[in-house]
Amino acid sequence: MTVEEPVVLAAASVDLLAAADVPAPPDAGAADGAGGADRTMAERWLDRDQYVRWSRLLRAQDRDDFLAARIAADSVVRRLCPEADALRTPLHFRQRCDECGGAHGRPEVPGMRLSVSWAHARGWVVAAAHRGDRVGVDIDHLEPWMPIAVGSTVTGRHFVRAEALVKVGAMDLDSALAAALDWPESPAHPYGGLTVRDLQWPGGLVGAVAYS
């Protein structure tokens, strides 16, 4: 049986915020607590738990990436499931850790049977929505075939593949890296009932999506 591929969207955070009419003051790139996306709009896009997490981020860029990732997730869910338009606008995503019950972990849309994942990396975000059981996506500013550290055998491509496996809930990062290092070169890899597919964009961005 062929598994339907996830819907994936990657974009600059500033573009997603602008498209969603989220205003940002001129000092939005400030490194401290100043600037960044408007708090009123953040309250509109985030549920209470996520708003608390957003408000605790110290850097404006981190707050903008956090909010833009949820806006990207809203977009991919609506592309995958037109029936989502019957739900509230914007969609609110719930996160609950299976181990501690905290407001983190794999996201879900209450009332919808689908899988959602997102990631962000210094001004860029990626989101994926999938009708299958699980999906995990990652993005980073890394060279695909360069080691991530001096003396390491882990390249940028290995790292984002491993992070996608972690986000899909398959294993911890060390185990995922060990698995990814053993794969032959290919843009897609079957692993333990999952498919891990490479993602690539211009500008030094590399990513991967894992799904079942």
Side-chain angles (χ1 to χ4, degrees):
M1 181 178 66
T2 301
V3 177
E4 180 182 356
E5 291 192 12
V7 176
V8 178
L9 169 66
S13 297
V14 292
D15 293 339
L16 287 164
L17 294 173
D21 295 324
V22 178
D27 58 349
D32 57 16
D38 178 81
R39 288 182 176 271
T40 301
M41 294 301 290
E43 288 178 329
R44 176 172 178 261
W45 278 92
L46 304 173
D47 69 9
R48 181 179 179 278
D49 288 336
Q50 293 202 349
Y51 179 81
V52 169
R53 291 176 61 194
W54 175 87
S55 65
R56 289 174 176 168
L57 296 172
L58 298 180
R59 297 181 68 255
Q61 182 67 76
D62 293 339
R63 293 195 300 274
D64 285 355
D65 290 348
F66 185 98
L67 180 56
R70 278 66 178 173
I71 294 171
D74 184 291
S75 178
V76 292
V77 168
R78 294 180 190 280
R79 291 185 191 181
L80 183 67
C81 303
E83 63 268 27
D85 285 333
L87 302 177
R88 62 180 298 160
T89 304
L91 300 176
H92 279 183
F93 297 91
R94 181 173 59 198
Q95 290 178 275
R96 283 290 178 270
C97 176
D98 293 336
E99 295 183 3
C100 72
H104 55 93
R106 284 187 287 167
E108 60 181 20
V109 185
M112 297 194 69
R113 295 178 60 86
L114 51 78
S115 304
V116 185
S117 181
W118 56 64
H120 41 82
R122 302 192 312 277
W124 282 79
V125 301
V126 64
H130 182 43
R131 290 190 184 274
D133 294 333
R134 295 183 291 172
V135 68
V137 70
D138 192 54
I139 191 172
D140 214 327
H141 295 275
L142 295 169
E143 290 294 333
W145 305 120
M146 292 291 290
I148 63 173
V150 176
S152 175
T153 58
V154 176
T155 67
R157 182 67 75 195
H158 293 136
F159 186 78
V160 292
R161 290 170 179 169
E163 284 282 5
L165 284 171
V166 172
K167 290 195 171 188
V168 86
M171 59 187 71
D172 60 41
L173 182 58
D174 288 342
S175 300
L177 283 170
L181 283 168
D182 285 339
W183 292 340
E185 185 44 44
S186 171
H189 308 271
Y191 184 81
L194 299 166
T195 297
V196 183
R197 185 172 299 280
D198 294 340
L199 304 171
Q200 185 75 49
W201 305 275
L205 288 167
V206 63
V209 59
Y211 56 94
S212 64

